[in-house]
């Protein structure tokens, strides 16, 4: 088998497992809604950022990380928001080990986000020590399982200064590559653009449907998804003062935050749209309109990608 067929099979499997992990997350947090699972998975996969990363850049590490981010969210939901808390705490090990072995930067971002979630829910793990013990156990096991990779990597990084297009940590690319807010609606995937870091209209607007849910349907975890998703998306814009904030300079580009933002916003948008209560006649009109609009936007994206083609190069 040549490299091209192998890469096609790899890409197919990655996309399949990305969809599966988002379906599992959305199904659990929506109390078993298949509609929520399907909508969330569709938004997770069909956006300019994902198309660019997978079908134009072939960013293998970020593609693999896309599988594990929803599993981190599912682990957080299981520990702090599910009725029977901590039942599947082993998900923490699988998700963070997978992130660490696939894409270090996404691992660091999700570690920070997860730490914020843990601090927000401090009352739970201070009153229920079993949650804290599961967190510590998962951390220790993950460190041990990934030590064959992590320790040699840290040793190597400590001995040299590495660069790709610029030196890591010099801050030259974070401010210059941050996006204008309106660029998030850009659907261009043509040959004139190498990488489109836009979220697309669905990930931008669909999560707002949570505000139209009845109060009893607006779960705290949905609010968390909405707030963190938009927060991560904001970090990729030129509204954030990257010229003065240098703590994330090692990331090279602020689009790194979108790997995580897509998962938060897709889950929030899928739950919001699927649980939205409309009269039957309006629901039918809204569904048909959404399907037609989705078909049109998806067709435009696929045509642009097909027109560009692709080659393996360095």
């Amino acid at each position: 088998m040549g490299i091209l067929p192998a890469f096609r099979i790899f890409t197919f499997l990655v996309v399949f497992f990305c969809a599966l992990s988002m379906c599992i997350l959305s199904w659990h947090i929506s109390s078993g809604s298949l509609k929520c699972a399907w909508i969330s998975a569709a938004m997770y996969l069909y956006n300019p950022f994902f198309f660019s990363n997978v079908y134009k850049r072939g960013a293998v590490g970020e593609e693999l990380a896309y599988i594990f981010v929803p599993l981190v969210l599912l682990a957080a939901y299981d520990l702090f928001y599910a009725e029977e808390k901590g039942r599947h705490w082993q998900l923490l090990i699988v998700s963070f080990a997978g992130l660490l072995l696939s894409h270090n930067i996404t691992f660091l971002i999700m570690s920070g986000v997860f730490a914020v979630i843990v601090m927000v829910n401090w009352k739970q793990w201070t009153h229920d020590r079993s949650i804290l013990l599961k967190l510590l156990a998962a951390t220790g096991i993950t460190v041990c399982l990934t030590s064959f990779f992590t320790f040699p990597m840290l040793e190597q990084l400590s001995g040299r200064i590495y660069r790709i297009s610029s030196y890591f940590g010099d801050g030259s690319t974070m401010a210059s590559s941050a996006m204008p807010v309106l660029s998030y609606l850009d659907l261009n995937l043509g040959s004139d653009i190498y990488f489109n870091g836009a979220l697309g209209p669905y990930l931008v607007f669909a999560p707002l449907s949570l505000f139209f849910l009845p109060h009893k349907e607006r779960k705290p975890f949905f609010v968390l998804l909405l707030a963190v998703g938009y927060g991560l998306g904001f970090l990729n814009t030129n509204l954030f003062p990257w010229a003065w904030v240098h703590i994330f300079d090692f990331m090279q580009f602020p689009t790194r935050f979108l790997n995580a933002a897509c998962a938060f916003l897709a889950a929030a948008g899928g739950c919001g749209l699927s649980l939205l209560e409309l009269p039957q006649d309006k629901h039918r009109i809204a569904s048909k309109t959404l399907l037609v609009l989705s078909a049109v936007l998806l067709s435009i994206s696929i045509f642009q990608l097909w027109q560009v083609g692709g080659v393996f190069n360095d």
Side-chain angles (χ1 to χ4, degrees):
M1 180 185 295
I3 186 173
L4 187 56
F7 191 76
R8 285 172 175 168
I9 293 172
F10 169 79
T11 301
F12 171 81
L13 292 174
V14 166
V15 173
F16 172 79
F17 284 109
C18 286
L20 181 62
S21 64
M22 179 53 68
C23 280
I24 293 172
L25 167 65
S26 301
W27 186 82
H28 276 280
I29 65 178
S30 63
S31 303
S33 171
L34 283 176
K35 185 191 295 185
C36 176
W38 284 112
I39 294 175
S40 296
M43 288 195 294
Y44 195 44
L45 300 184
Y46 300 135
N47 60 79
F49 173 75
F50 185 80
F51 280 145
S52 291
N53 250 353
V54 176
Y55 301 113
K56 295 195 73 173
R57 291 182 65 221
V60 173
E62 292 188 37
E63 292 176 38
L64 290 171
Y66 224 68
I67 299 173
F68 297 104
V69 174
L71 298 183
V72 173
L73 299 186
L74 183 57
Y77 177 80
D78 175 72
L79 270 177
F80 299 115
Y81 299 92
E83 291 185 10
E84 190 176 345
K85 294 178 173 57
R87 183 179 179 185
H88 305 291
W89 64 274
Q90 297 88 347
L91 271 172
L92 278 174
I93 303 170
V94 174
S95 56
F96 275 108
L99 279 180
L100 181 57
L101 296 176
S102 57
H103 196 244
N104 305 150
I105 293 176
T106 305
F107 167 80
L108 291 174
I109 292 170
M110 287 307 299
S111 296
V113 170
F114 189 81
V116 171
I117 295 173
V118 170
M119 296 311 298
V120 167
N121 293 277
W122 65 274
K123 288 185 178 180
Q124 296 195 41
W125 53 266
T126 53
H127 287 86
D128 186 351
R129 293 300 174 89
S130 66
I131 295 177
L132 181 60
L133 290 175
K134 289 170 183 176
L135 282 170
L136 295 175
T139 302
I141 294 171
T142 303
V143 170
C144 291
L145 289 177
T146 59
S147 59
F148 73 94
F149 170 79
T150 308
F151 294 157
M153 178 191 69
L154 293 175
E155 182 182 10
Q156 183 182 20
L157 289 175
S158 65
R160 291 285 188 275
I161 297 176
Y162 294 93
R163 75 184 300 275
I164 300 179
S165 55
S166 61
Y167 284 101
F168 291 99
D170 66 1
S172 62
T173 54
M174 290 296 282
S176 62
S177 57
M179 296 175 57
V181 175
L182 292 180
S183 296
Y184 269 150
L185 303 179
D186 184 10
L187 299 176
N188 183 18
L189 295 169
S191 58
D192 60 325
I193 183 171
Y194 164 67
F195 174 68
N196 185 350
L199 292 171
Y202 287 127
L203 289 181
V204 171
F205 295 117
L208 297 175
S209 58
L210 289 173
F211 290 109
F212 299 96
L213 295 181
H215 185 72
K216 63 179 180 179
E217 298 284 354
R218 204 180 307 150
K219 301 178 181 179
F221 191 70
F222 293 170
V223 177
L224 174 75
L225 292 174
L226 182 75
V228 176
Y230 280 137
L232 291 170
F234 172 74
L235 292 177
N236 184 43
T237 69
N238 56 9
L239 296 178
F240 189 84
W242 285 117
W244 293 278
V245 179
H246 299 288
I247 189 173
F248 297 113
D249 284 352
F250 67 92
M251 292 171 51
Q252 284 188 292
F253 314 108
T255 49
R256 309 288 195 189
F257 290 106
L258 297 188
N259 247 27
C262 286
F264 281 88
L265 295 176
C271 291
L273 291 176
S274 63
L275 298 174
L276 198 61
E277 295 181 358
L278 294 173
Q280 187 172 1
D281 55 338
K282 293 183 178 179
H283 188 276
R284 190 181 298 111
I285 295 172
S287 299
K288 290 181 178 178
T289 303
L290 190 61
L291 283 174
V292 171
L293 182 60
S294 300
V296 171
L297 295 178
L298 181 59
S299 298
I300 293 172
S301 298
I302 292 176
F303 175 75
Q304 288 179 327
L305 290 171
W306 171 81
Q307 193 178 37
V308 172
V311 293
F312 281 95
N313 55 43
D314 58 0

